[in-house]
Amino acid sequence: MKITRVRAIPMSDPVPPERRHRTDLGTKMKSDATLILVETDRGLTGMGAALGTPPIVAAIVEHELAAEVVGEDPMFSERIFEKMYNGSRAKPALEGGVPQAETSRRAGMVMEAISGIDIAIWDVKAKALGIPVYQALGAVRNSVRAYGSGGWAPGNEAEAELGSYAAKGFTAVKMRVVGRDGFSIENCVRRVAAARRGIGSGVELMVDAHASLETPVAIRLAKALEPYDIAWFEEPVSPDNHAGMAQVRASTCIPIASGEREFSRYGFKSMLEHKAIDIAQPDVARAGGLTEIRRIAALTQAYDIRLAPHAWGSGVLFAASIHAAMAAASCHILEVSQGYMPMMNELFNEPFDVRDGYVHAPDRPGLGFSLRPAAMERFKYVEGPEFAF
């Protein structure tokens, strides 16, 4: 079997004005994604998803990466990843056994494009084998505990918002540190207290700062939140400040989670060396696809660090995240967005199986999902930023 074509299709999902709200990232105007399609001479096509600015990702795929993938056998997924990562020096890198990464491919949108292609290759590879991707990766389980992720409501409204997630059967929920009423430590504590009232003592509560705080502020906030039994404090500081993240971790009994903005195993290696995290959160559409997620899982497991993949994005990204979770022994929980996400929930013919607080893996070959006929038209790319401040 040979790969005959690689395509990248920019996609958007505009947020209706009445559904827009402001957070630390700005006002959400739309969601973007790049759909990657890998076609073969056997008539099998694999789907992948890449984060990053879609027209730029599409140009990277078309003008840089596709030529290195076309003609390859998708069963050789590790080889293809190394070709994309090492670029012109792939041959000596593979012969010598030491990476010689092309400078631009170590991180950023090129790595996001590599991630999307890699997911699509695993999809077509598993289809050829007639099994789900997670079984091709090496299955650990076929269901995993889920947490409801959202939590922007201001003040005491957080009680009803987070309580509604628990009412759906989630035994863990996550809220944002910065709500629609802006940020102060007092504001956040009030919202967290309300959320805890809404979910009771038997549901885990996580908080997410979106890397928006300075180290001293994050330390003060962590101390203020300790009485509310927080399961993890996510991205307390910038992902470029692993030393500061380690200071936050050392200052509190709350576990620290991070990783959604990291690229490849080397970003996670740095966090581990800094003793900055308790939970690793790679994003399959950014960190290097399923091939690199396996490596990240093995690396973090050697430090007894649990895995909780970041899974906020398109339906293809969420589908790939399900398979990553089912194949990683250290994965204990998976994110399920509670936001306005039609491009996640209405992209496929088949629904996601989320029930009783668990995500269940599909039993169909590959990723196990197929695009709705009108998906490309409905989610046609729209120019402009995802967030407006």
Side-chain angles (χ1 to χ4, degrees):
M1 179 168 54
K2 299 294 182 183
I3 295 169
T4 57
R5 187 183 183 190
V6 181
R7 292 192 287 152
I9 303 169
M11 301 172 69
S12 290
D13 183 10
V15 179
E18 67 274 13
R19 300 298 298 268
R20 295 174 187 169
H21 63 270
R22 190 176 184 83
T23 69
D24 58 290
L25 297 169
T27 300
K28 182 75 168 176
M29 308 301 290
K30 60 170 182 164
S31 295
D32 284 340
T34 305
L35 175 68
I36 309 293
L37 298 176
V38 169
E39 301 172 6
T40 70
D41 60 2
R42 293 226 335 233
L44 296 173
T45 299
M47 287 189 300
L51 294 174
T53 306
I56 298 175
V57 172
I60 291 167
V61 171
E62 179 181 352
H63 297 291
E64 189 166 357
L65 299 177
E68 297 175 356
V69 176
V70 170
E72 290 289 337
D73 183 342
M75 304 305 283
F76 286 69
S77 52
E78 291 274 347
R79 167 185 164 80
I80 296 170
F81 182 92
E82 293 301 323
K83 281 190 70 177
M84 292 190 290
Y85 181 67
N86 290 291
S88 64
R89 298 196 294 181
K91 189 174 187 292
L94 287 170
E95 288 177 349
V98 178
Q100 299 183 30
E102 170 67 37
T103 303
S104 67
R105 300 183 182 191
R106 296 171 55 251
M109 275 188 265
V110 181
M111 180 54 77
E112 289 170 332
I114 289 172
S115 301
I117 294 174
D118 182 79
I119 294 166
I121 287 169
W122 275 98
D123 184 26
V124 79
K125 175 178 176 177
K127 285 176 179 175
L129 294 170
I131 58 176
V133 165
Y134 77 95
Q135 293 180 11
L137 290 165
V140 176
R141 58 182 72 86
N142 57 17
S143 66
V144 69
R145 187 175 172 226
Y147 70 90
S149 180
W152 305 271
N156 289 329
E157 293 178 30
E159 180 175 348
E161 184 180 42
L162 277 295
S164 71
Y165 303 167
K168 295 178 182 179
F170 292 111
T171 57
V173 299
K174 186 171 79 179
M175 64 187 296
R176 272 52 187 175
V177 162
V178 182
R180 291 199 295 269
D181 51 353
F183 174 75
S184 69
I185 290 178
E186 295 75 16
N187 246 10
C188 184
V189 171
R190 183 166 54 251
R191 294 175 59 245
V192 168
R196 177 53 76 191
R197 289 195 304 271
I199 64 176
S201 60
V203 174
E204 287 189 301
L205 177 61
M206 295 85 100
V207 297
D208 184 355
H210 278 158
S212 62
L213 305 178
E214 302 169 30
T215 300
V217 176
I219 290 171
R220 285 178 57 207
L221 179 60
K223 288 291 187 185
L225 293 180
E226 285 179 359
Y228 299 96
D229 191 19
I230 304 301
W232 77 54
F233 186 3
E234 183 171 332
E235 285 199 306
V237 298
S238 167
D240 292 326
N241 187 7
H242 292 169
M245 196 180 302
Q247 290 178 46
V248 178
R249 182 175 182 243
S251 76
T252 181
C253 62
I254 299 174
I256 301 301
S258 191
E260 70 179 72
R261 301 171 209 264
E262 299 294 342
F263 298 92
S264 85
R265 60 197 180 277
Y266 297 107
F268 289 86
K269 179 173 178 284
S270 173
M271 287 196 294
L272 294 169
E273 289 173 343
H274 280 88
K275 299 182 179 179
I277 56 170
D278 299 281
I279 297 106
Q281 297 177 299
D283 190 307
V284 69
R286 170 173 287 140
L290 291 161
T291 295
E292 192 71 355
I293 285 259
R294 291 205 304 176
R295 299 169 178 176
I296 292 166
L299 174 65
T300 55
Q301 192 174 15
Y303 289 77
D304 293 333
I305 299 297
R306 292 178 294 170
L307 198 78
H310 180 254
W312 192 281
S314 72
V316 182
L317 187 157
F318 185 60
S321 301
I322 292 171
H323 290 277
M326 302 304 166
S330 58
C331 179
H332 69 299
I333 202 163
L334 181 64
E335 182 174 34
V336 179
S337 168
Q338 301 301 293
Y340 177 79
M341 304 284 284
M343 195 159 56
M344 172 180 158
N345 297 309
E346 301 171 23
L347 184 66
F348 296 136
N349 292 306
E350 305 83 4
F352 293 116
D353 187 359
V354 182
R355 51 190 162 88
D356 303 322
Y358 279 77
V359 178
H360 299 264
D363 57 7
R364 299 172 293 273
L367 291 176
F369 298 94
S370 59
L371 295 170
R372 292 184 181 181
M376 293 299 95
E377 181 60 31
R378 177 177 179 186
F379 299 115
K380 186 180 297 184
Y381 181 68
V382 177
E383 295 285 346
E386 286 191 88
F387 292 91
F389 236 95

